[in-house]
Amino acid sequence: MPKNHRILVVEDDRAVRDLLRLHLENAGYHVVALPDAVAAGKHVLGDPASIHLLIVDANLPYMSGIEFASALIADTALPFIPMILITGHEHLADRAGILGVPCLVKPFTADALIRLVEQTLAAARTQSSAGIRDHCVAPLAAEPGRRRA
Protein backbone atom coordinates (compact mmCIF):
# COMPACT_ATOMS: atom_id res chain seq x y z
CA MET A 1 0.00 0.00 0.00
CA PRO A 2 1.53 3.38 -0.96
CA LYS A 3 2.20 5.71 1.91
CA ASN A 4 1.58 9.28 0.84
CA HIS A 5 1.47 10.51 4.40
CA ARG A 6 3.55 13.46 5.59
CA ILE A 7 4.97 13.07 9.08
CA LEU A 8 6.35 15.97 11.10
CA VAL A 9 9.09 14.82 13.48
CA VAL A 10 9.98 17.17 16.33
CA GLU A 11 13.19 16.05 18.04
CA ASP A 12 16.00 18.23 19.39
CA ASP A 13 18.73 15.57 19.23
CA ARG A 14 20.04 15.71 15.66
CA ALA A 15 21.20 12.07 15.60
CA VAL A 16 17.81 10.80 16.82
CA ARG A 17 15.99 13.16 14.44
CA ASP A 18 18.05 11.87 11.50
CA LEU A 19 17.50 8.25 12.53
CA LEU A 20 13.73 8.75 12.82
CA ARG A 21 13.69 10.41 9.41
CA LEU A 22 15.67 7.52 7.90
CA HIS A 23 13.39 4.83 9.33
CA LEU A 24 10.22 6.65 8.31
CA GLU A 25 11.45 7.45 4.80
CA ASN A 26 12.59 3.84 4.35
CA ALA A 27 9.02 2.83 5.24
CA GLY A 28 7.70 5.11 2.48
CA TYR A 29 6.63 8.21 4.43
CA HIS A 30 7.38 11.83 3.56
CA VAL A 31 9.15 13.41 6.54
CA VAL A 32 9.75 16.94 7.73
CA ALA A 33 12.05 16.99 10.76
CA LEU A 34 12.43 20.00 13.04
CA PRO A 35 14.46 20.60 16.22
CA ASP A 36 11.95 22.27 18.56
CA ALA A 37 8.33 23.14 19.29
CA VAL A 38 8.72 26.74 18.08
CA ALA A 39 9.78 25.68 14.58
CA ALA A 40 7.18 22.91 14.59
CA GLY A 41 4.44 25.31 15.70
CA LYS A 42 5.25 27.67 12.84
CA HIS A 43 5.16 24.75 10.41
CA VAL A 44 1.84 23.46 11.76
CA LEU A 45 0.23 26.91 11.67
CA GLY A 46 1.55 27.49 8.14
CA ASP A 47 -0.14 24.45 6.61
CA PRO A 48 -1.80 22.17 9.16
CA ALA A 49 -3.72 20.15 6.57
CA SER A 50 -0.46 18.92 5.02
CA ILE A 51 0.56 17.06 8.18
CA HIS A 52 -0.89 13.59 8.66
CA LEU A 53 1.00 12.69 11.85
CA LEU A 54 3.22 14.37 14.44
CA ILE A 55 5.99 12.51 16.24
CA VAL A 56 7.12 14.68 19.15
CA ASP A 57 9.90 14.19 21.68
CA ALA A 58 8.59 14.84 25.20
CA ASN A 59 11.71 16.85 26.15
CA LEU A 60 12.23 19.80 23.83
CA PRO A 61 13.81 23.21 24.31
CA TYR A 62 11.55 26.27 24.73
CA MET A 63 8.37 24.22 25.22
CA SER A 64 8.14 20.57 26.20
CA GLY A 65 6.67 18.08 23.79
CA ILE A 66 3.89 17.42 26.31
CA GLU A 67 3.00 21.14 26.37
CA PHE A 68 3.19 21.31 22.59
CA ALA A 69 0.93 18.29 22.16
CA SER A 70 -1.52 19.69 24.74
CA ALA A 71 -1.69 23.03 22.93
CA LEU A 72 -2.37 21.41 19.56
CA ILE A 73 -5.02 19.10 20.97
CA ALA A 74 -6.76 22.00 22.71
CA ASP A 75 -6.73 24.31 19.66
CA THR A 76 -10.05 23.62 17.96
CA ALA A 77 -9.18 26.11 15.20
CA LEU A 78 -6.64 23.58 13.89
CA PRO A 79 -7.65 20.42 12.07
CA PHE A 80 -7.12 17.29 14.10
CA ILE A 81 -3.55 15.96 13.75
CA PRO A 82 -2.77 12.58 15.34
CA MET A 83 0.39 12.38 17.45
CA ILE A 84 2.91 10.01 18.92
CA LEU A 85 5.16 11.09 21.79
CA ILE A 86 8.64 9.67 22.25
CA THR A 87 10.69 9.93 25.41
CA GLY A 88 13.75 8.55 27.08
CA HIS A 89 12.08 8.91 30.49
CA GLU A 90 9.59 6.24 31.53
CA HIS A 91 7.81 8.58 33.97
CA LEU A 92 6.84 10.96 31.14
CA ALA A 93 4.97 8.17 29.39
CA ASP A 94 2.20 8.51 31.99
CA ARG A 95 1.70 12.16 31.03
CA ALA A 96 1.26 11.17 27.39
CA GLY A 97 -1.41 8.69 28.48
CA ILE A 98 -3.38 11.47 30.14
CA LEU A 99 -3.49 13.21 26.77
CA GLY A 100 -4.59 10.02 25.04
CA VAL A 101 -1.41 10.04 22.94
CA PRO A 102 0.59 6.85 22.36
CA CYS A 103 4.16 6.95 23.59
CA LEU A 104 7.31 5.08 22.64
CA VAL A 105 10.01 4.93 25.30
CA LYS A 106 13.56 5.14 23.97
CA PRO A 107 15.26 3.01 22.98
CA PHE A 108 12.74 1.45 20.62
CA THR A 109 13.10 -0.50 17.41
CA ALA A 110 12.36 0.75 13.93
CA ASP A 111 9.72 -1.98 13.68
CA ALA A 112 7.98 -0.73 16.83
CA LEU A 113 8.05 2.83 15.48
CA ILE A 114 6.60 1.90 12.08
CA ARG A 115 3.98 -0.39 13.64
CA LEU A 116 2.76 2.42 15.95
CA VAL A 117 2.80 4.94 13.09
CA GLU A 118 0.63 2.63 10.97
CA GLN A 119 -1.77 1.93 13.85
CA THR A 120 -2.07 5.61 14.73
CA LEU A 121 -2.73 6.63 11.12
CA ALA A 122 -5.32 3.84 10.74
CA ALA A 123 -7.08 4.91 13.95
CA ALA A 124 -7.06 8.54 12.76
CA ARG A 125 -8.65 7.56 9.43
CA THR A 126 -11.39 5.64 11.24
CA GLN A 127 -12.19 8.47 13.63
CA SER A 128 -11.82 11.15 10.96
CA SER A 129 -14.46 9.45 8.86
CA ALA A 130 -16.71 9.34 11.92
CA GLY A 131 -16.16 13.06 12.52
CA ILE A 132 -14.67 12.58 15.98
CA ARG A 133 -12.13 15.12 17.24
CA ASP A 134 -11.23 13.07 20.29
CA HIS A 135 -7.70 11.87 20.19
CA CYS A 136 -7.10 9.27 17.53
CA VAL A 137 -5.44 6.63 19.66
CA ALA A 138 -8.20 5.79 22.13
CA PRO A 139 -8.91 2.52 20.26
CA LEU A 140 -5.23 1.56 20.55
CA ALA A 141 -5.29 1.95 24.33
CA ALA A 142 -7.96 -0.73 24.61
CA GLU A 143 -5.80 -3.43 23.03
CA PRO A 144 -4.84 -6.00 25.68
CA GLY A 145 -1.13 -6.15 26.35
CA ARG A 146 -0.46 -2.93 24.45
CA ARG A 147 2.03 -0.70 26.13
CA ARG A 148 0.65 2.75 26.22
CA ALA A 149 1.61 5.85 28.04
Side-chain angles (χ1 to χ4, degrees), residues 4 10 18 27 36 45 47 59 65 76 81 99 101 106 120:
N4 295 321
V10 188
D18 290 346
D36 59 60
L45 292 174
D47 190 7
N59 287 320
T76 58
I81 303 171
L99 294 174
V101 176
K106 300 173 191 173
T120 303

Side-chain angles (χ1 to χ4, degrees), residues 24-44:
L24 292 165
E25 287 178 345
N26 284 342
Y29 295 103
H30 302 283
V31 180
V32 174
L34 298 170
D36 59 60
V38 174
K42 289 178 183 178
H43 188 83
V44 169

Side-chain angles (χ1 to χ4, degrees), residues 131-142:
I132 299 172
R133 181 166 173 92
D134 292 335
H135 208 276
C136 73
V137 296
L140 297 178

